[in-house]
Amino acid sequence: MIRPLNPAMAATFAPPVMEAHRWRASTVLPAGLSLINVSQAAPTDVPPLPLRQAIADAALNLPAAHLYGAVLGMDELRAEIAQQWSQAYAGQITAAQVAITQGCNQAFCAVLATLAAPGDEVILTVPWYFNHKMWLDMQGVKAVPLTPGAGLIPEAEAAARLITDRTRAIVLVSPNNPGGAEYPAETMAAFRDLCRARGITLIVDETYRDFDSRDGRVHDLFMDPDWSDVLVQLYSFSKAYRLTGHRVGAIVASEARMAEVEKFLDTVAICPGQLGQIAALWGMRNLGPWVEGERQEILNRRRAVEAAMADLPGWELMGAGAFFAYARHPFAGRGPEIARAILAQQGILMLPGTMFNPEGAAEAHGQMRIAFANCDAAGLQEMASRLARLTLTRR
């Protein structure tokens, strides 16, 4: 007899990317058409050769690379993040205010574990990053949806109306996944001020900071000398250095919060992987120009998807940035069925807006996320040409 499942876990929806992979496995592609996979924002290329050589050298010649390390991560990597972030954001960040995690998803889970208990509430902007919603559901924490304004930019005034005595945090992702929006510095400051005034935490996920189209400092949050009383920043090394398989992320927060984060990380991982940390540190010290080249290529692909979608009848681009475009489509029906029909008819795998919105959100059925980072300009034009040939029923 199978024992009862944890009700909160059982009620949490299945991982959307895995669901999309199952669609692909069960679908016969049209004859003569190769798959265009714009479902997941993950680099498919390996890290650059010098970085792989640094990893190999550490694996062969550094005994500590195979042993347990500090729960909060390598001292050298924490110090490097503190130094580079202090310069980039014109603020004061110390190594003691940095922790290394097994990817940015674990960073989010660790921070939320210090903030919220079952029955508490956390405000998420919609469309939201589905793994954030999944973790809250599994923990019995209520995700409160914040509908954004023009350009998918959230508004602090709207968020203020959602705060209750159970609210523990507001989560912002910029550049945004899935919407691509880059939040203005004024927006970030307004949310900081709101959270401080209401005694809650502002969590800013900057996984895609390396691909922001704006040059220089994109917000002033760390310039506040008291930033640590309200702000937590999350970051991932997966995208900038193609270290997805090594799982390296980071938290920047107060030392007091780090003491609580350490309890969580020691329990679930003991320490982050050593080789991934070594790779991240080497990348930070040696790959600045290479990362800038990657940024410029992503910006080229953003321009390509914007141009391709502009000429596509019935489609409307709602947002584009970092690895993502988020669009309204002209077809009638339920989002998942439309996504599967697009795959079956034209060999394009993308994710429906229903995967990024509250259950029952009718408008989500008319939306699609396009993760274009692994599709070059020619591929994006081919995608648009195929979308124009769809024979689905229109609204």
Side-chain angles (χ1 to χ4, degrees), residues 199-360:
I200 61 178
T201 298
L202 175 62
I203 301 172
V204 177
D205 183 332
E206 292 193 272
T207 290
Y208 299 94
R209 68 184 291 276
D210 302 285
F211 305 98
D212 199 299
S213 67
R214 300 165 291 183
D215 294 324
R217 189 175 67 251
V218 298
H219 63 70
D220 300 330
L221 298 180
F222 286 110
M223 294 180 70
D224 179 348
D226 298 318
W227 67 264
S228 65
D229 70 1
V230 65
L231 176 65
V232 173
Q233 186 215 44
L234 311 179
Y235 176 67
S236 171
F237 290 90
S238 294
K239 308 305 189 290
Y241 302 103
R242 301 180 185 167
L243 291 174
T244 52
H246 287 281
R247 312 310 306 125
V248 195
I251 301 167
V252 181
S254 69
E255 291 186 48
R257 188 167 307 281
M258 289 305 176
E260 303 305 307
V261 163
E262 188 175 44
K263 299 174 187 177
F264 181 93
L265 297 178
D266 184 55
T267 303
V268 300
I270 299 179
C271 68
Q274 301 285 35
L275 287 175
Q277 292 185 86
I278 291 167
L281 179 60
W282 195 93
M284 291 189 77
R285 290 175 172 174
N286 297 279
L287 291 181
W290 182 86
V291 171
E292 177 58 23
E294 293 288 284
R295 172 179 175 253
Q296 292 302 323
E297 176 58 28
I298 291 299
L299 295 180
N300 288 337
R301 295 182 186 195
R302 172 181 172 174
R303 288 187 283 269
V305 77
E306 288 173 336
M309 300 299 290
D311 296 331
L312 192 58
W315 288 73
E316 177 190 353
L317 201 60
M318 300 171 67
F323 285 17
F324 309 103
Y326 198 79
R328 290 191 183 94
H329 62 75
F331 306 116
R334 294 181 54 78
E337 283 70 29
I338 295 168
R340 298 193 70 169
I342 291 172
L343 176 63
Q345 281 195 21
Q346 294 297 332
I348 303 168
L349 182 61
M350 57 179 62
L351 300 187
T354 50
M355 292 179 170
F356 307 94
N357 278 270
E359 187 175 356

Side-chain angles (χ1 to χ4, degrees), residues 168-187:
R168 299 293 176 260
I170 298 175
V171 180
L172 302 180
V173 182
S174 179
N176 186 257
N177 176 9
E182 298 170 347
Y183 297 169
E186 296 79 9
T187 296

Side-chain angles (χ1 to χ4, degrees), residues 83-231:
Q83 186 273 322
Q84 290 200 22
W85 264 225
S86 294
Q87 181 176 1
Y89 293 104
Q92 294 296 320
I93 301 165
T94 68
Q97 294 170 318
V98 179
I100 309 303
T101 60
Q102 294 280 74
C104 195
N105 271 11
Q106 189 187 75
F108 179 82
C109 297
V111 168
L112 263 295
T114 74
L115 280 169
D120 287 339
E121 300 175 357
V122 171
I123 296 174
L124 301 180
T125 298
V126 292
W128 51 41
Y129 175 45
F130 44 68
N131 284 151
H132 288 172
K133 175 63 162 56
M134 291 174 70
W135 179 253
L136 296 180
D137 287 351
M138 284 187 271
Q139 300 306 301
V141 177
K142 180 181 179 181
V144 178
L146 170 60
T147 302
L152 299 180
I153 303 297
E155 298 170 349
E157 288 185 3
R161 295 190 288 270
L162 300 176
I163 295 174
T164 73
D165 60 359
R166 301 299 299 175
T167 305
R168 299 293 176 260
I170 298 175
V171 180
L172 302 180
V173 182
S174 179
N176 186 257
N177 176 9
E182 298 170 347
Y183 297 169
E186 296 79 9
T187 296
M188 306 291 266
F191 273 92
R192 184 266 321 279
D193 294 344
L194 170 64
C195 289
R196 177 172 281 144
R198 303 295 288 271
I200 61 178
T201 298
L202 175 62
I203 301 172
V204 177
D205 183 332
E206 292 193 272
T207 290
Y208 299 94
R209 68 184 291 276
D210 302 285
F211 305 98
D212 199 299
S213 67
R214 300 165 291 183
D215 294 324
R217 189 175 67 251
V218 298
H219 63 70
D220 300 330
L221 298 180
F222 286 110
M223 294 180 70
D224 179 348
D226 298 318
W227 67 264
S228 65
D229 70 1
V230 65
L231 176 65

